[in-house]
Amino acid sequence: MSTPSIPVIAQTAGKGAARAAARRRKTSVAGGSERRPGWVTYVLLGVAILISAYPLYFAFLLASSTATEIAQNPVPSLIPGSELFTNLKRVLDADIDLVRATVNSIIVAVVTSLSVVFFSTLAGYAFSKLRFRGRGPLLVFVIATMAVPTQLGVVPLYIVMRELGLTGNLLAVILPGMVTAFGVFWMTQYLDSALPYELIEAARVDGASMFRTFRSIALPAARPAASMLALFTFIGSWTNFFWPSIVLGTQNPTLPVALQLLQAGFFKDIALIMAGVVLSVIPLLLLFLAAGRQLVAGIMAGAVKG
């Protein structure tokens, strides 16, 4: 039954009841989901955007300057210079195999993202929907590994890769990152609330196997959160410098490692280095423009209610 309008309430119950109903509806709309943010919210969001975007813009300003200008004024003006394309051409003409480094970064980022999404979703499905002994303590252990700094595992991990003969090989970067504790935790929390048991039970009644249920039911349901996880993993793999610089060296580098070679031993051409940074960020910006809406949808869909 629809709610009567204010004129109808005024005719049937009087003007006092109509005014009270109007106040209640106004309060309900103002406090509900239809409430529009005020100017304070927009100001705070604008300040946050400026603070977040300024480091990238600062790198752009340095990339469009010359080394002499940067030496004279380390903090350039807010107006870009005219040397951006010259510096970008210097990066492309530098004595580094930039094409090979870019291809290596693409391979590592794509393979790592796909493997993290698959194995994290598989583990998240098991932790959230399957009942087995030790499920709780094992999940706590996986989450606890997020508190261990990556640097603590570098030495034993390098020894393992050396014994396997993978030093200098892209597999040495891909294998340790094929699944992450954050990915498992994220997909576990998402599937726990987004995937009802009734769908799993219906698939099992229809004769679907455990893996068929995961492939046909869990994976489609996890698509929004999996898209967000894939995007974040791609960005993390693309910008990863520490471990690839140790295990790959300069013979078969990824893009961040190759950009390090732009600096000389006793002189750092900041304009040249920043031009390389800008060049490496362009694919990420294009990826954000292409998948930005999917990223927001994944974050909103993966939000866990308290």
Side-chain angles (χ1 to χ4, degrees):
M1 183 176 180
S2 60
T3 303
S5 62
I6 299 299
V8 173
I9 296 176
Q11 292 177 1
T12 57
K15 295 183 179 180
R19 287 194 295 268
R23 286 195 297 268
R24 285 195 300 269
R25 294 184 184 182
K26 184 177 180 180
T27 303
S28 176
V29 172
S33 60
E34 298 181 6
R35 181 183 178 184
R36 299 189 63 181
W39 64 270
V40 177
T41 303
Y42 286 109
V43 170
L44 293 177
L45 290 176
V47 172
I49 292 174
L50 291 177
I51 294 175
S52 302
Y54 182 74
L56 180 60
Y57 186 67
F58 186 75
F60 176 77
L61 293 177
L62 294 177
S64 61
S65 305
T66 63
T68 304
E69 293 173 350
I70 296 175
Q72 295 175 350
N73 185 15
V75 181
S77 63
L78 295 179
I79 301 176
S82 58
E83 300 295 325
L84 177 62
F85 292 103
T86 302
N87 291 331
L88 291 178
K89 187 176 184 303
R90 290 172 58 202
V91 172
L92 297 177
D93 296 338
D95 192 18
I96 58 174
D97 197 347
L98 198 63
V99 175
R100 182 180 181 182
T102 304
V103 172
N104 287 344
S105 290
I106 292 175
I107 293 174
V108 171
V110 171
V111 175
T112 302
S113 301
L114 294 177
S115 63
V116 166
V117 168
F118 177 76
F119 289 114
S120 296
T121 307
L122 188 64
Y125 173 73
F127 280 125
S128 62
K129 297 303 175 182
L130 302 183
R131 296 293 180 262
F132 55 91
R133 183 175 299 177
R135 181 185 64 147
L138 184 58
L139 179 60
V140 172
F141 173 77
V142 172
I143 297 174
T145 59
M146 297 171 61
V148 180
T150 306
Q151 292 79 0
L152 293 180
V154 167
V155 174
L157 186 59
Y158 182 83
I159 295 175
V160 171
M161 294 303 166
R162 186 187 62 186
E163 294 297 325
L164 294 176
L166 295 179
T167 53
N169 195 307
L170 293 181
L171 287 176
V173 180
I174 295 174
L175 291 178
M178 293 187 69
V179 63
T180 61
F182 171 77
V184 174
F185 171 72
W186 175 263
M187 298 309 300
T188 300
Q189 294 296 100
Y190 178 79
L191 289 175
D192 186 54
S193 59
L195 182 61
Y197 280 102
E198 288 77 10
L199 290 178
I200 300 175
E201 293 172 355
R204 299 303 298 272
V205 169
D206 290 341
S209 62
M210 184 68 67
F211 187 78
R212 176 63 184 273
T213 303
F214 166 76
R215 181 168 59 88
S216 302
I217 304 298
L219 276 181
R223 186 176 302 169
S227 301
M228 190 283 303
L229 181 61
L231 185 58
F232 278 2
T233 304
F234 185 93
I235 295 172
S237 299
W238 183 271
T239 59
N240 188 17
F241 171 78
F242 181 68
W243 175 241
S245 66
I246 294 175
V247 75
L248 294 180
T250 60
Q251 302 301 320
N252 190 29
T254 55
L255 190 57
V257 179
L259 293 179
Q260 185 195 23
L261 303 177
L262 292 174
Q263 58 185 7
F266 300 98
F267 173 72
K268 294 183 180 180
D269 192 339
I270 303 298
L272 181 64
I273 297 174
M274 289 298 105
V277 171
V278 170
L279 199 63
S280 66
V281 170
I282 290 177
L284 296 182
L285 295 178
L286 296 177
L287 181 62
F288 265 106
L289 292 176
R293 180 172 298 180
Q294 188 66 34
L295 171 63
V296 175
I299 293 176
M300 297 302 296
V304 180
K305 295 182 179 180

